[in-house]
Amino acid sequence: SRFPIPHYGIHFNNFKLHGFCEQRFKEIWGKKFTVKHCAVSDITKEGVVKTEKFGDLHYDWVVDCRGWPEDYTDYEISSSVPVNAAMVNIIDKPGDWEWTYHKAMPNGWMFGIPLTTRQGWGYLYNQDVTDREEIISDLKKEFGDKLNTREFFFKNYYAKNVIEGRVIKNGNRALFLEPLEALSGFFYENV
């Protein structure tokens, strides 16, 4: 593998992570930590967070975790990662295993994540090579005719500069590389 493999794995609920972090930060830093709920229209390399609700907010450092970039001008697109799409199948039954499944499939690979309320299965493939109907057919062979799917398309990329001025890019703002190991979290932590 051209990518270093992490020595751990973690699955968490993205929708609950910010609430967990906010509560923990309040416990650690007390009144030094404040939350401003607002839409961010831009972040400048000088550490200015532009909002409509609060105007321009000035910070010494900003960690930019706004997700996938709006444009990829300042990013390198990887030609080393052969997948660029995922068909996710959710099963409304808790996963009763303690690892992440990784399985080779006819047109890519599949992961299976055990969650406390459901199972998440994702079939990663290259949409430029394989028709989505082939992916659905493969999924039906695995799970039967009743599927609960969502489809995602993505680029594999990394920022040319993770730190620009007073801004540190992290999360999907910094990179998204999805070969087999689902290793983005390893890089996010290191950033």
Side-chain angles (χ1 to χ4, degrees):
S1 174
R2 296 174 56 144
F3 303 101
I5 298 172
H7 298 153
Y8 59 86
I10 185 169
H11 301 290
F12 54 87
N13 185 329
N14 294 1
F15 303 106
K16 294 183 178 181
L17 181 64
H18 76 279
F20 170 81
C21 290
E22 283 180 13
Q23 182 59 40
R24 188 73 178 113
F25 295 159
K26 286 177 189 175
E27 291 170 10
I28 294 169
W29 292 300
K31 293 181 181 180
K32 292 179 183 178
F33 177 77
T34 59
V35 176
K36 295 189 183 288
H37 291 280
C38 62
V40 173
S41 61
D42 195 19
I43 298 175
T44 72
K45 65 181 178 180
E46 292 79 23
V48 178
V49 177
K50 297 188 173 290
T51 74
E52 188 174 310
K53 186 174 183 179
F54 297 107
D56 290 355
L57 303 171
H58 298 261
Y59 296 100
D60 293 332
W61 289 100
V62 176
V63 179
D64 186 353
C65 297
R66 290 180 291 163
W68 289 340
E70 293 79 23
D71 102 36
Y72 294 87
T73 304
D74 295 327
Y75 292 82
E76 293 289 338
I77 305 298
S78 172
S79 60
S80 301
V81 183
V83 295
N84 60 14
M87 182 81 69
V88 175
N89 186 41
I90 302 299
I91 297 175
D92 289 324
K93 178 178 140 189
D96 60 359
W97 64 94
E98 297 179 355
W99 59 86
T100 301
Y101 272 102
H102 290 93
K103 181 176 181 178
M105 297 294 286
N107 296 293
W109 70 277
M110 185 162 42
F111 64 83
I113 300 173
L115 301 166
T116 56
T117 59
R118 65 192 184 282
Q119 299 171 31
W121 295 88
Y123 191 156
L124 284 89
Y125 65 99
N126 188 317
Q127 67 173 331
D128 303 324
V129 175
T130 306
D131 185 72
R132 72 183 298 275
E133 295 307 317
E134 288 180 68
I135 302 303
I136 291 171
S137 175
D138 290 346
L139 285 172
K140 285 182 177 179
K141 289 175 189 167
E142 290 289 316
F143 301 109
D145 287 335
K146 188 177 178 185
L147 298 175
N148 180 16
T149 61
R150 290 188 333 217
E151 202 166 16
F152 299 93
F153 305 100
F154 52 87
K155 296 177 186 286
N156 290 283
Y157 61 88
Y158 55 92
K160 292 177 183 174
N161 296 299
V162 175
I163 300 175
E164 291 185 279
R166 295 175 180 253
V167 179
I168 302 167
K169 294 177 183 167
N170 200 2
N172 289 348
R173 188 57 60 153
L175 65 100
F176 186 85
L177 298 169
E178 191 57 46
L180 176 58
E181 293 90 1
L183 51 76
S184 297
F186 174 75
F187 286 114
Y188 300 165
E189 180 183 316
N190 281 298
V191 168

